[in-house]
Amino acid sequence: MSFNSDSDASRAAIEAIQGGLATTGYICGESIATAVFIAQALEKPVLIEGPPGVGKTELAKASAQFLDKPLIRLQCYEGLDEAKALYEWKYGKQLLYTQVLKEKLGDLMEGATSLQASMDRLHEFDDTFFNEEFLEPRPLLKTLWADQGAVLLIDEVDKSDQEFEAFLLELLQDYQISIPEIGTVRAKHSPVVFLTSNNTRELGDALKRRCIHLYIPFPDSRLEREIVESRVPELESSLRFQIVNFVQQLRTLDLKKVPAVSETIDWARTLVLMHAQELDQDLVRKTLNTLLKFQEDIGNIDTEINVMTRAAVDAR
Amino acid sequence: MTQVLIEFVRALRASNINVSTAESLDAAATVDVIGFKDRGLLKESLSLVLAKSSEDKQRFSDCFDRYFFATDMKGIDVLGSDDPSADDSLDVGNIVTTTADVESASTSTLTSMVTNENRAELQIAVANAAREAGVANIRLFTQRGMYMRRILEILGIEALEDDIGNSDSVDRLKLSDLRVQLIAEVRDHVERQLLLYTANTWPDLREEILQRVPLSAVEVRDFKFMQGLVHKLAKRLVALHYRRKKIARRGHLDVRQTIRRNIEYDGLMFDTVWKRKKIDRPKVVAVCDVSGSVSNAARFLLLFLYSVTEVLPKVRAFAFSNQIAEITDLFQSASAEDAISDALHKYGWGSTDYGHALSDLEATVLDDIDHRTTVLIMGDGRSNYADPGVSHLRRIHERARRVLWLNPEPRAFWNSGDSEMRRLGSACDRVDSCRSIQDLERLVSEIMRTAV
């Protein structure tokens, strides 16, 4: 293993990933591609943090498409537990079967004279109702069972409880999960795991330690232009330049919620629908609500629209 | 190669990034994959496995730049080009032998090295000598001289000095110039190491002191720093107690309910019922005295209040000196610093009138208070000899789950002069003195523990 070729080979692999993600419509900088590369090389999950709307979830989707593996998604929320995330018994089905099989049970019990004898007979059928037939696999188990491997997206992990976070550790460390009734389930192929977090609460160190940590900031204007170009190709390049410049200016202001990339894309689509050729004050005022989601913010920047629009149009 | 990584991890820890052993192993695996050659790539990937929050990333970036500063990279390449699979001891051995070579042939080596003015080579030699001198253990700036001397000795400065003595006057002048340069080089190196390994000692100390200092004695210039501290505290508390108010028993079949609900289906169990527990979402009404008598502590109480509104849902915040004003919206719309100075400017510095303030509070929030509400009052209970309004507080107390009073004065000062703590305290579930960040943390932690 020679050192020089190592760096070059990984550099090439990273560029390949970057290009591959771009073909799925996900334009990203080097750091994101590096994260995907390292995650694959070390077989470790990636924890993605960053402001809302910078494409954390999109990265998982694009990677799934690029790697040609199914995407399995687990949306976290307060109160999510293993019954919703891992597996559950189909209680309804179990109960229904017991009812339907009631007569059959009567037949089976026939001839058993004592209570003990009936019990013994029942014990022989114990596991009929606890096998995979009655098991409802939830996203995590589905991931482990996937034949070709899968991309698992655990979305907004910060919304889940701490217990659930602890429960995830076994999965993230060894790609296996222990189920009391069945035993340990190991992944057929190591899945590619993405976790996203909006940092509404501090995640545990144990979880962070098991993951590669990727922070996605807002893109710079060059990257954002590329993203808009790939997502809204019908937008003229001069207008693209202007709206990205405008949004970048907005991000420097004190707003309740600064516009994210997804909002820039929405705005670009809106302008395409309106057949806009160039930004002007009226147009910005009319369409600003696609960009800013709080009436307060819209009111606050009203006086500055004039200056910002001119700066955006003049900037070259 | 391993040695370099281990020292880098130590430097990271010194700048307050918690790197676990598992993470250093990850870092080693990463380096195995990508190698040392591409600096940008190395930084990017090590940052992925070693720095686990956005603040850590910033600190990582600074630390990386300081540790692997541009010229050093060549040195690592030289070190790294030994067989990378070689184990640790062999690696160290290599370094030692290199240094030994330098030493044995010192008369020529060091002299020729400085006369050749090959700066990169010289820096590698200095770095190796420094490693042997154990410069990574440097803790205090007073140790600089000692480590410099040691490094110079390992480099073979004596031989160089002999050479200077033996050479003729022209060479001597040139050589002594070079000797000065060499010493400067070593000093720079030691300074960098000092910076690297002690980067965080000072803020740590400051943090420790500020936690214990009485709130009223904190200086304005420490405000920014305190802000971070208080925010950290609030976040930690919420994380700690978050788990108390979660759903406990979901995903279990409630057999009793299921049977009852399915009676209409003749006992055929179609409709399943699950056990569940309601999430307890406590409401908090927090009232902060911002009058002249508590003006110093008020800044920090407000700061704490601000952090609490950020991390807990359903907090209503009020400030008063003689009239009460709701500042919830102000807190939500402005940054901490602006909101606090705004609140102090608008409502602060008046003389306290608890009677008036509490009757206002009763009128504003009484309808909103129920058995889940915790009322938190922060103030000194000094009412300028006017009616303290105990009856209003009592009515609030009857409705609310709990009323807590935090007083920034030490207990010994209570009930002296115009302080009405005894009477006000009779309408509270709990009264406590809260003087420093540490007190604040302890108290709020206790409050939240008993909250469920």
Side-chain angles (χ1 to χ4, degrees), chain B residues 18 33 48 67 111 152 213 231 240 391 399:
Chain B
N18 287 326
V33 176
L48 286 166
Y67 191 88
T111 316
L152 285 171
V213 115
H231 191 75
L240 190 67
S391 57
R399 280 269 191 107

Side-chain angles (χ1 to χ4, degrees), chain A residues 49-62:
Chain A
E49 285 189 323
V54 290
K56 298 189 289 289
T57 310
E58 283 303 310
L59 174 59
K61 288 188 194 163

